[in-house]
Structures are given as structure tokens and as C-alpha cells.
Amino acid sequence: MTTLEDPIEIGGCEVPNRLYRAPVLECAGNGPDAVETLIDDLEPAAESGVGLLCQGATIVRGDGGCAAPGMTRVHDPEFVAQLSRLTDRIHEHGSRIFVQLEHGGLRSMETWHAEYREAHPEMEQLAVSRPPWQLRLLDRLGFLAYDPHILSTEEVYELAADFGRSAASAAEAGYDGIHLSGANMGIVQQFLSPFYNQRDDEFGGSPEARLEFLALVHDEIRERAGDVPLMTKVPAETPAPPAPVVRRKLSLEDGIEIARRLERIGYDAVVPVQTSVVWDMSIVRGEYPERAWGNEQLHEAYDAAFGGATRRRLVAAANRVQSLQYDFDSAWNEDFCRRVREQVSIPVLAEGGIRERREMDRLLGSGAGSEDGGATPAAPACDMVGMARPFYAEPRLGARLLENGTDAETPTDGDLRVLCENCNNCTVPQATGAPGICRTPSVLRKRGELEREGAYERT
């Protein structure tokens, strides 16, 4: 039976264990302190023993495409070369690091961030097709602002080449692999999804054609970066609003078929995730972030982002409604991951609501808990387990979750649970460019207690 401490290979890259830090926003930007910011953010997880770190979404072009303020761009080889200081520091602890490549397309700041739009009136969103009528309606109502540039066939090839160039620079800088942001309403999901993709060229018109962009990105990366390990998120748009609001979307079966085809194309691992067709709380399920919205020190920055106090209150109200719709659900991608794993031979990575060591063991197939409630281990749902927000709460979380060496006399407590309360007070401030940190006093107090007890020290 596989355990969390067992090594795994992804596309020839040996990862020392099955725990990974899922990609989240580091808000490091590209300024003079960017590399140090990334080191400060990512190195603690490596120090704590986490096998694989996935640096959050980085943008493959020099302008546009950022879904939030402070995202790092990796279009410039000279800047990326400096990131070797980060990869060296991660490797010193025996961990591996992948970089997630992204372009926001219709989800970019030029759509929703009022202050950014005002400062960059010339900016257009890259679009796979004309925006769906639901998004055009939000534009007419004034909630979003669309001035899309629909990619020509030639421009699709050039965008894929930008992914390949960025991947090559990252591999030169010591990154162990490439992780494509294939969900969360980024440009890759927009190509895959029938909600967005109404193209009539080789990149649209059928499920096979909608997958051609990922095939092209694969080929560009292979040509420019060689056999660097390559994985991607695979979306199923199951939480999307039901018909008649959204008729065309990716079903769970569609997501499974995409994963099967990606293996045939040559991808080395997949991360199946259930997400909506739009950016909403299906991505970060949990409580309404009362503390974050109520923080008066952030109101001015919120107003700049959303276009004034009235719109800030409307966004907060929508956030409250979504928190009721997408309440926290433990390991919410488990069924999707298990069904994909039954169909592919490459590693399947699971994330989304994983919070307990016992749960991790069960997902890997090494813990008790069959589907009928018995003591026999259930069939594995995945080959690695990852978390994102819990690392905001506990940057050195790996030391608590992983066995401290192989000392059988001090096994990890199977009931161990992360401190993260799924309150989302860490996420909303990122709309202003604020760093991703835990802001919940009860969690911070408990972390302080654990630090004093030495819980984050590795033996």
C-alpha cells in the first residue's frame, strides 16, 4: 500500500514523497524583491519536507493576462534566470519545484479591476471566441468590462510558442517541471470549454479540436525544453450554473476523456479539478470571509479594484451567496480523481479540501475507509495529495504531516488535521495585491503554540 512518505516519479523526476504544495498566488511580481519574496514564501514548505512545490500561476507574456495584482511574469529569460536562486534553495532541502504557466484570457485584470483598466485603457483581453452571452450581459450591467481580442489561428500558435519559450527558460533556471494552469477560468480552460470555445478552425468545433491547444503547447514545450516533466490541471465544469443559464459545459465524463487524451499526447501527470465556467467560490470552498471584507484598512484598496464602495458591497454580497452555494466539502475532487486514475497510467494528483492525514492515507489507498464504511482500504483515488490555503496558515506544514524519518516508535497521528479553518480571509485581500497570508487570530494563536512545542521541526 502506498503511503504519504513513499517517493514517486513524474516524467522521470524523482519526488521524495507524495505531499505537494498546490499552486497559490505568491503576489511576488517582477520587481527587485521578487526572487526573495518567492524564496520566503516557498522555502519553508521545502524545509518542512514537502516533496513537491508548485509555484503559483506565472504569466507567459509581458503585458496583459494577469488574473490578480502582483502575479509574476516569466516571459523574460533574464528575469527567469534569476529564479535559479529559488530553485537552488528548494533543492537544498531535497524537494522538487514545478512552475505553473498561465494566461488569464477573459479572466484578466483588464476585465474586472477598475483601477487597472483606468490606467491601461488600451488593454484588450485575449479571447478564444466572442465572450458568452452571460458575460456580455454582465458587461452591459457594468459589473465587468469586455473589449476582447479574438485570437486568430496564427495568434493561437504564437501564444502556444510563448508557453514553450517560458517553459524553456524555467527549465534552464532549474525548475524540475512545468505545471499548466488548465482550470480556474484561465485561457487553457477557455480553449477546452464549450462554454467559451466556439471557434470554427482547427482549435474548435469538437471535443478533439478544443484539446488541440494543449496538444500544441505540449509540442512547443517538448521542442524548446526537451523532456521536462509536464502536467496540467484538467477541468470538469460540474459546479457551473445549471441550464438554461449555462447549457454548454464540460461534464465529469468530458474531463475524464480529456485526461485520457492528454496521456496519449504525452503529458506526464494530471490534476483533475471540478470548477465552474466562471471565477467563483467553487475554487476555494468554505466560509464567507467576514473578517477580510470587514477590514476597513482594506476598503480603499477594494474600492479601487472593484470600482467604488457600492460595487465593493455588491461583490461582497455575491461572495456571501456563493459561500452558501459552495460550502466546504472534504476532498471534493475525490470521485473525479478516482475515475481518472482508473483510465490513465500516469500519476494523478488530488487537491481541493484535503485537510487530514487520515484522509490523505485513504486517498492514496493506504488507510482504512472503503466506500461501504468498512475497514478495508478503498481503491486509491490519486498518487499524490496537495493543499494550497493550509500552507498560508502553516508554511512549514509538512513537518507535522509527514513521518519524522522512519522511526516506527513515533508514527504520525492518523487523526492529525491542518489548522486552516477554510474561512477564506486569506484569499479576498489578494484582489488588492495583498500577500497570501493567514489573517485568522485563532489559527495564528494555535500555530504559535505548535511552534513553541517544536511541531514544525524536522528530526
Side-chain angles (χ1 to χ4, degrees), residues 410-430:
T410 58
T412 299
D413 183 358
D415 293 327
L416 188 150
R417 183 177 178 84
V418 305
L419 297 183
C420 178
E421 296 179 356
N422 314 302
C423 62
N424 287 312
N425 289 312
C426 57
T427 59
V428 172
Q430 291 179 320

Side-chain angles (χ1 to χ4, degrees), residues 242-263:
V245 179
V246 175
R247 293 184 182 276
R248 295 187 296 266
K249 60 185 178 182
L250 293 169
S251 68
L252 209 62
E253 288 69 26
D254 292 330
I256 295 167
E257 182 59 24
I258 289 171
R260 293 179 65 243
R261 289 175 177 159
L262 287 173
E263 180 179 22

Side-chain angles (χ1 to χ4, degrees), residues 293-344:
W293 284 114
N295 187 343
E296 294 184 0
Q297 294 179 342
L298 289 171
H299 282 183
E300 184 177 350
Y302 286 149
D303 293 350
F306 300 120
T310 299
R311 292 193 180 186
R312 179 219 334 141
R313 295 187 185 100
L314 287 172
V315 174
N319 197 179
R320 187 182 292 276
V321 171
Q322 288 181 355
S323 69
L324 300 175
Q325 180 181 5
Y326 300 120
D327 194 10
F328 183 78
D329 186 14
S330 178
W332 62 74
N333 291 311
E334 176 179 357
D335 180 58
F336 188 19
C337 289
R338 179 173 284 109
R339 293 181 63 183
V340 167
R341 193 176 185 276
E342 291 170 351
Q343 297 293 321
V344 302

Side-chain angles (χ1 to χ4, degrees), residues 5 64 66 154-155 201 206 223 241 275 324 345 351 400 435 454:
E5 289 73 25
C66 285
E154 182 179 352
E155 288 170 333
D201 63 357
S206 69
E223 179 179 344
T275 185
L324 300 175
S345 59
E351 58 192 59
R400 287 211 303 125

Side-chain angles (χ1 to χ4, degrees), residues 138-448:
L138 291 175
D139 184 356
R140 288 195 293 271
L141 293 174
F143 290 102
L144 301 173
Y146 284 108
D147 184 21
H149 174 80
I150 299 173
L151 292 161
S152 68
T153 302
E154 182 179 352
E155 288 170 333
V156 173
Y157 276 88
E158 185 57 32
L159 178 60
D162 286 336
F163 277 86
R165 283 187 278 263
S166 296
S169 297
E172 284 288 328
Y175 284 92
D176 299 289
I178 304 299
H179 181 356
L180 300 182
S181 182
N184 300 352
M185 198 189 160
I187 196 79
V188 174
Q189 181 181 343
Q190 291 165 36
F191 270 102
L192 292 173
S193 173
F195 180 74
Y196 290 100
N197 189 339
Q198 297 299 307
R199 300 178 67 92
D200 58 6
D201 63 357
E202 62 199 270
F203 297 104
S206 69
E208 295 80 9
R210 290 194 294 269
L211 190 61
E212 275 302 302
F213 180 69
L214 270 178
L216 181 60
V217 169
H218 167 274
D219 294 347
E220 287 285 350
I221 290 175
R222 289 285 175 256
E223 179 179 344
R224 299 171 188 273
D227 291 331
V228 61
L230 176 61
M231 68 181 185
T232 183
K233 285 191 175 182
V234 176
E237 297 168 337
T238 49
V245 179
V246 175
R247 293 184 182 276
R248 295 187 296 266
K249 60 185 178 182
L250 293 169
S251 68
L252 209 62
E253 288 69 26
D254 292 330
I256 295 167
E257 182 59 24
I258 289 171
R260 293 179 65 243
R261 289 175 177 159
L262 287 173
E263 180 179 22
R264 292 200 295 269
I265 289 169
Y267 279 78
D268 298 304
V270 289
V271 189
V273 292
Q274 296 182 77
T275 185
S276 181
V277 295
V278 294
W279 179 265
D280 58 23
M281 280 192 67
S282 68
I283 300 165
V284 287
R285 306 181 192 193
E287 299 177 9
Y288 172 72
E290 188 85 49
R291 179 176 297 276
W293 284 114
N295 187 343
E296 294 184 0
Q297 294 179 342
L298 289 171
H299 282 183
E300 184 177 350
Y302 286 149
D303 293 350
F306 300 120
T310 299
R311 292 193 180 186
R312 179 219 334 141
R313 295 187 185 100
L314 287 172
V315 174
N319 197 179
R320 187 182 292 276
V321 171
Q322 288 181 355
S323 69
L324 300 175
Q325 180 181 5
Y326 300 120
D327 194 10
F328 183 78
D329 186 14
S330 178
W332 62 74
N333 291 311
E334 176 179 357
D335 180 58
F336 188 19
C337 289
R338 179 173 284 109
R339 293 181 63 183
V340 167
R341 193 176 185 276
E342 291 170 351
Q343 297 293 321
V344 302
S345 59
I346 56 178
V348 173
L349 284 66
E351 58 192 59
I354 301 170
R355 298 293 183 265
E356 297 180 0
R357 172 63 199 246
R358 187 185 304 277
E359 190 171 55
M360 298 174 188
D361 293 337
R362 179 177 58 78
L363 291 169
L364 292 169
S366 62
S370 61
E371 295 179 4
D372 61 4
T376 303
C382 64
D383 300 285
M384 294 190 74
V385 291
M387 294 172 291
R389 287 172 292 170
F391 281 98
Y392 285 157
E394 299 177 85
R396 291 175 171 80
L397 178 57
R400 287 211 303 125
L401 291 175
L402 295 161
E403 299 275 3
N404 287 324
T406 58
D407 185 357
E409 296 181 1
T410 58
T412 299
D413 183 358
D415 293 327
L416 188 150
R417 183 177 178 84
V418 305
L419 297 183
C420 178
E421 296 179 356
N422 314 302
C423 62
N424 287 312
N425 289 312
C426 57
T427 59
V428 172
Q430 291 179 320
T432 72
I437 57 175
C438 181
R439 295 174 171 81
T440 304
S442 59
V443 173
L444 297 176
R445 284 195 298 270
K446 182 61 177 175
R447 185 176 78 191

